[in-house]
Amino acid sequence: MISEKMIKMTEGGSAIRAMFEEGARMAEKFGRENVYDFSLGNPNIPAPEKVMTEIIRVTMETDPMELHGYMSNSGYPEVRAKVAASLNKRFGTAFSENNIIMTVGAAGGLNVLLKTLLNPGDEVLVFAPYFLEYGNYVSNFDGVLKAIPANIEGNFQPDARALRAAITPKTKALIINNPNNPTGVIYTEETIKAIAAVLEEKQTELGTSIYLISDEPYRELAYDGREVPWLTKYYRNTLVGYSWSKSLSLPGERIGYVVIPSECDDAQLIFDAAVIANRILGFVNAPSLQQRVVAECLEESTDVAAYDKNRRALYDGLTEAGFECVYPDGAFYMWVKTPGDDKEFSNNAKKYNILVVPGTSFACPGYVRIAYCVSYDMIIRSIPAFKKLAAEYGLSK
Ligand code: PLP
């Protein structure tokens, strides 16, 4: 018999992945242009040209024994130094290579941090709605994930008072994701200050260290000039997980990093343990070619204006159809209130060849997530289908 934990995970499956497979089946049946698949957060904008030229240049110009060989489990020191310098320039911080570990994407980085921090039974808090994989990452290390209910009245900004009530002596970490998947909301500086104040207060009261893990794959996807607060400035025990999956459209390349600031409690111990975690989780180190490529692409960005154009077209189309949407400030997701049960709604949507993910998949029923990292044309073509769906629910204006 296999692991009981894995049996549970197999049974649970991933609603998002299942939806993706259904999209492929529908495309075969109805033709790709007639299926409106908004299920997956897979960027539709190609990586910047510089990424391609660097992949070729680095491959051709680097000694292959060096390029394809093992390196320190934390990554190439010169790459980590460049990442640190780039963060310092952007956020006025003082990191060095000794604060950076290159990782296998954000998922790899989060698993490394959780393996480093958690003892069995330790609690990890998240604000609903949240990226459901966090539950699996936490249970990988026998931690207990505790979700703080969504602050619907507060437009999905986390509620610091609810955070205070959820912290116990067993609380080891709080994971936040900003800009947020699935809501598209950017947590404001005011929200972050309130969270930091509660964490400080509780650390003092309980005599524990509570780490704030900031999961930031969408950091650069912010619209209308909105700022995404850099959390190490607000709270000493912050650990950051980053990836280029969304910001440079490289999700399959599996490249990211974690930041472990020197002022964190047990910073050196965390760093040393995280390097070992990177190795023994089986990552060993982040991909060598991609480390060298991203180090040359730190000034590059994706076409945020294209996502912005999608965001506006989808928001206008859906609100005109009668849907109530959270206006997204960041990431590439629209969070839409469902008339009635969200699972039933997303099943009904399939009648119109629309694929969206029920909010239940993010621990927040009553909503669906629409990933608009798709072609602009598809958004425009999908609006009449959304209007028919709205009409079925009597929403049309
Ligand atoms: N965190 C969030 C909130 C995400 O949405 C995703 C991917 O969709 C990840 C982490 C994982 O990102 P990566 O591909 O860098 O592992």
Side-chain angles (χ1 to χ4, degrees), residues 104-107 110 131 134 177 181 215 217-218 243 245-246 251 254 333:
V104 176
L110 290 172
F131 181 55
Y134 292 154
N177 166 226
N181 173 12
D215 179 26
Y218 303 97
S243 108
S245 290
K246 318 285 174 170
R254 315 305 306 134
Y333 304 110

Side-chain angles (χ1 to χ4, degrees), residues 170-348:
K170 285 198 150 297
T171 305
K172 188 52 96 46
L174 164 69
I175 304 178
I176 72 167
N177 166 226
N178 199 22
N180 188 257
N181 173 12
T183 61
V185 164
I186 291 181
Y187 300 166
T188 61
E189 183 177 40
E190 195 188 340
T191 299
I192 298 302
K193 281 183 173 165
I195 289 173
V198 167
L199 293 177
E200 289 288 5
E201 174 198 317
K202 281 289 179 181
Q203 281 192 145
T204 311
E205 182 192 318
L206 298 168
T208 54
S209 300
I210 305 174
Y211 293 94
L212 175 59
I213 300 178
S214 186
D215 179 26
E216 307 196 344
Y218 303 97
R219 166 163 284 283
E220 286 79 19
L221 301 184
Y223 309 108
D224 304 325
R226 290 289 306 271
E227 293 283 327
V228 182
W230 175 258
L231 298 197
T232 67
K233 283 187 182 165
Y234 298 89
Y235 183 64
R236 190 169 51 83
N237 279 334
T238 297
L239 305 167
V240 181
Y242 181 81
S243 108
W244 283 275
S245 290
K246 318 285 174 170
S247 61
L248 291 185
S249 299
L250 296 173
E253 298 296 349
R254 315 305 306 134
I255 183 74
Y257 59 82
V258 295
V259 186
I260 301 166
S262 305
E263 65 270 21
C264 273
D265 291 347
D266 293 321
Q268 193 57 51
L269 206 53
I270 292 177
F271 188 93
D272 294 345
V275 173
I276 296 171
N278 210 18
R279 185 172 81 233
I280 67 179
L281 283 172
F283 302 127
V284 182
N285 54 253
S288 56
L289 171 60
Q290 293 306 329
Q291 285 192 47
R292 291 184 186 267
V293 168
V294 292
E296 300 307 317
C297 296
L298 295 170
E299 304 283 323
E300 292 297 308
S301 59
T302 192
D303 188 356
V304 179
Y307 289 132
D308 189 11
K309 190 174 163 200
N310 286 0
R311 173 182 77 126
R312 289 165 193 272
L314 185 63
Y315 184 82
D316 290 349
L318 292 181
T319 46
E320 201 188 295
F323 289 109
E324 198 182 306
C325 314
V326 174
Y327 191 69
D329 290 320
F332 39 47
Y333 304 110
M334 188 95 50
W335 190 236
V336 181
K337 196 167 168 31
T338 54
D341 181 82
D342 56 307
K343 283 199 212 154
E344 206 176 277
F345 179 86
S346 46
N347 259 334
N348 259 340

Side-chain angles (χ1 to χ4, degrees), residues 128 149-159 161 324 326 337 364 367:
N151 182 14
I152 296 173
E153 296 73 38
N155 203 27
F156 296 97
Q157 291 287 325
D159 178 2
R161 275 165 312 176
E324 198 182 306
V326 174
K337 196 167 168 31
C364 187
Y367 289 81

